[in-house]
Amino acid sequence: MERILFELQSIILGKQIVSGDTLVIFDEIQECPRALHSLKYFCENMPSLHLVAAGSLLGVALSKGISFPVGKVDRLSLHPMNFEEFVIAEGDSALIEGLKKHDLEHSITDLYSIPMEKHLKNYCIVGGMPEVVSLWVENHNYEEVERAQENILKD
């Protein structure tokens, strides 16, 4: 742990890591099993350090017997955005809230159905990957969306 902090501060960042103020992110941590194991020591010796460990294939690596600091890590999973989250990202949370209050025994008025149908068509094209949705929300450009989707598939 001390070596990792020293190298991050002195060689990589060139600035001090302040426990409680600095967020340290270990990306693709499954590539370095010793770094994954070090999470236990960070938790025990620097509990106020904000630390995130991410790995796209972390679950696969753990299933191959890599040591994991049980009880020292909170697991979070990131999934694609669902339709409701997509509509909210588009800035139409009022539509979602209105539909939640709508009596399902009555037909949905055009006030809701027309914009929601438009959102559904766009969601079917854009999908729910956060990076792609963000691009879509910024400029509503299908070509940029398609390039981002292709890059994600290639990666």
Side-chain angles (χ1 to χ4, degrees):
M1 180 190 84
E2 290 86 10
R3 181 187 58 79
I4 293 171
L5 282 176
F6 171 78
E7 290 173 354
L8 284 173
Q9 293 175 121
S10 304
I11 298 170
I12 296 172
L13 298 174
K15 59 175 110 173
Q16 189 71 22
I17 292 174
V18 181
S19 189
D21 289 335
T22 306
L23 172 63
V24 177
I25 301 173
F26 294 141
D27 193 19
E28 298 300 340
I29 195 167
Q30 77 277 358
E31 296 297 323
C32 184
R34 290 178 61 198
L36 183 61
H37 185 71
S38 76
L39 295 178
K40 172 182 178 180
Y41 302 104
F42 278 105
C43 180
E44 290 174 354
N45 300 326
M46 295 186 76
S48 62
L49 178 67
H50 305 295
L51 188 97
V52 173
S56 56
L57 298 174
L58 187 53
V60 173
L62 293 175
S63 70
K64 292 181 180 176
I66 292 177
S67 175
F68 186 76
V70 176
K72 305 291 184 188
V73 175
D74 293 324
R75 292 184 187 199
L76 302 173
S77 296
L78 180 64
H79 301 280
M81 297 170 79
N82 62 32
F83 178 63
E84 180 178 327
E85 293 167 331
F86 178 84
V87 173
I88 292 169
E90 280 273 71
D92 277 339
S93 58
L95 285 173
I96 298 295
E97 292 306 312
L99 281 173
K100 286 180 179 179
K101 296 174 184 174
H102 188 77
D103 181 2
L104 295 178
E105 293 192 17
H106 297 92
S107 62
I108 297 173
T109 65
D110 288 350
L111 178 66
Y112 292 101
S113 65
I114 291 173
M116 290 301 277
E117 185 176 316
K118 180 182 171 193
H119 285 307
L120 181 60
K121 287 177 184 176
N122 287 327
Y123 181 69
C124 288
I125 294 167
V126 174
M129 296 303 288
E131 177 185 353
V132 180
V133 173
S134 179
L135 275 173
W136 172 253
V137 168
E138 284 178 28
N139 55 36
H140 293 86
N141 183 313
Y142 290 112
E143 290 174 1
E144 283 190 39
V145 162
E146 187 176 8
R147 274 194 297 275
Q149 290 168 332
E150 287 174 4
N151 285 337
I152 289 171
L153 288 173
K154 287 176 187 174
D155 291 343

